[in-house]
Amino acid sequence: MQLAFALALFFPNFMMFMRSQYNTQRALVDHLVRSGVVISPEVRKVLDKVNRKNYAGDWDEASAYTDTPLPIGCGQTISAPHMHGHALEDMLPYLKKSQASSVNILDVGCGSGYLTAALGRLVDDSKGEPILGKPGKVYGIDVYPELVNMTRENIQKEDGDLLTNKIVEVSIGDGWKGLPDKGPFDAIHVGAAAYEFPTDLMMQLRVGGVLVIPVGRYDQALYKVERLAESSKYSDRDFRKKRLLGVRYVPLVHPDEL
Ligand code: SAH
């Protein structure tokens, strides 16, 4: 204990680390609830169901259940659990109020698959009423074929029914372009920072839908972008952008830069 105190004195982040390291998914989710990141019962249920250990590569349990990003290969990371909780909370109201009988969701930069699977669990209707209250479909894309494979393999571990029931579909794709053939989407999440707002992607939102995206090259912030009106040509007037919080994400690359 004395050692912990001394470390905390010299390395203030150490106490944060001490506080946010847990041994089970349940304890990690409890932390997210206590810290005020997770507020809705729907997000809580989803996070309880999707075990971060299955999406944290070779990292041990102590790391997997710590509220911190972790390297997953290809120079990329699995985001910190509090960012997953935040993103789910940001999208939830728009999914709930969607008029669509089945909601349509796109997760850009699926990485090792955690958020894609969590969104899948939110709309999974294979065992009765979905947690969201209505069914839906989730598309996950990533620019790295290795990470698309990793997402599939990770989902297979304990969430494989989402793939076999076609609630979740994963493919190689460029987030700047999105998936125009599969839209419009009620919610689009982007897990990498764009240097400018991606208008092609914004045009794939349903009216009333939301894009949750980190934007900025050096000084980054998480934004939510709502689509207010329909038009075949992009216009700034059809969207409302709101800055949510300062963040640090890997860049949303152009595939020809790889
Ligand atoms: N969403 C995941 C991973 C975040 S890391 C999570 O929350 O854990 C960011 C991911 O975005 C990486 O997997 C990276 O390969 C991917 N990415 C970067 N640029 C991309 C692009 N243009 N299109 C699709 N994916 C991209």
Side-chain angles (χ1 to χ4, degrees):
M1 199 57 216
Q2 264 170 349
L3 176 66
F5 185 72
L7 282 168
L9 210 59
F10 293 105
F11 305 102
N13 287 340
F14 180 73
M15 275 320 269
M16 278 285 290
F17 180 73
M18 289 275 290
R19 271 205 297 270
S20 59
Q21 187 178 45
Y22 300 100
N23 296 321
T24 62
Q25 181 68 20
R26 172 51 69 93
L28 173 61
V29 179
D30 281 345
H31 156 75
L32 298 178
V33 171
R34 273 198 312 274
S35 57
V37 171
V38 170
I39 45 181
S40 62
E42 290 91 343
V43 172
R44 187 188 179 130
K45 278 188 204 154
V46 158
L47 294 178
D48 273 341
K49 273 181 191 272
V50 185
N51 188 349
R52 190 167 192 256
K53 176 76 178 85
N54 292 336
Y55 297 85
D58 294 334
W59 290 93
D60 60 7
E61 300 210 337
S63 308
Y65 300 127
T66 296
D67 191 6
T68 183
L70 295 169
I72 52 170
C74 302
Q76 307 300 321
T77 53
I78 176 173
S79 296
H82 68 269
M83 287 316 302
H84 288 152
H86 205 291
L88 289 165
E89 290 286 355
D90 295 336
M91 289 185 274
L92 185 69
Y94 298 86
L95 295 171
K96 275 176 138 177
K97 71 169 195 239
S98 168
Q99 300 293 312
S101 52
S102 175
V103 295
N104 204 20
I105 306 173
L106 174 62
D107 184 28
V108 169
C110 55
S112 66
Y114 188 87
L115 195 67
T116 312
L119 288 163
R121 280 285 166 240
L122 183 65
V123 298
D124 174 22
D125 61 344
S126 60
K127 293 178 202 80
E129 174 83 348
I131 293 173
L132 180 66
K134 60 187 129 184
K137 173 117 194 179
V138 182
Y139 296 92
I141 60 170
D142 204 284
V143 74
Y144 283 98
E146 297 92 317
L147 296 180
V148 172
N149 288 339
M150 184 187 284
T151 287
R152 281 206 198 96
E153 282 166 21
N154 289 344
I155 293 181
Q156 292 290 358
K157 292 177 192 165
E158 279 186 300
D159 301 302
D161 55 300
L162 295 174
L163 293 173
T164 42
N165 294 328
K166 299 217 178 302
I167 288 162
V168 168
E169 262 183 47
V170 193
S171 58
I172 301 167
D174 176 10
W176 287 101
K177 299 209 172 86
L179 286 181
D181 296 348
K182 306 292 186 189
F185 298 101
D186 297 279
I188 303 177
H189 170 264
V190 180
Y195 57 83
E196 62 182 12
F197 285 92
T199 50
D200 285 354
L201 211 48
M202 288 156 74
M203 290 298 279
Q204 289 166 39
L205 283 177
R206 213 191 288 283
V207 173
V210 72
L211 165 67
V212 174
I213 181 168
V215 180
R217 233 188 258 272
Y218 306 107
D219 186 20
Q220 300 176 356
L222 191 70
Y223 283 84
K224 71 172 180 177
V225 181
E226 300 167 272
R227 185 163 194 178
L228 307 174
E230 183 86 64
S231 160
S232 56
K233 207 162 155 276
Y234 176 82
S235 162
D236 253 345
R237 275 186 319 222
D238 296 340
F239 297 90
R240 180 165 50 217
K241 298 169 184 156
K242 183 167 191 256
R243 185 187 188 280
L244 300 175
L245 76 159
V247 288
R248 192 85 208 121
Y249 276 75
V250 294
L252 187 70
V253 296
H254 282 287
D256 54 13
E257 293 167 0
L258 293 181

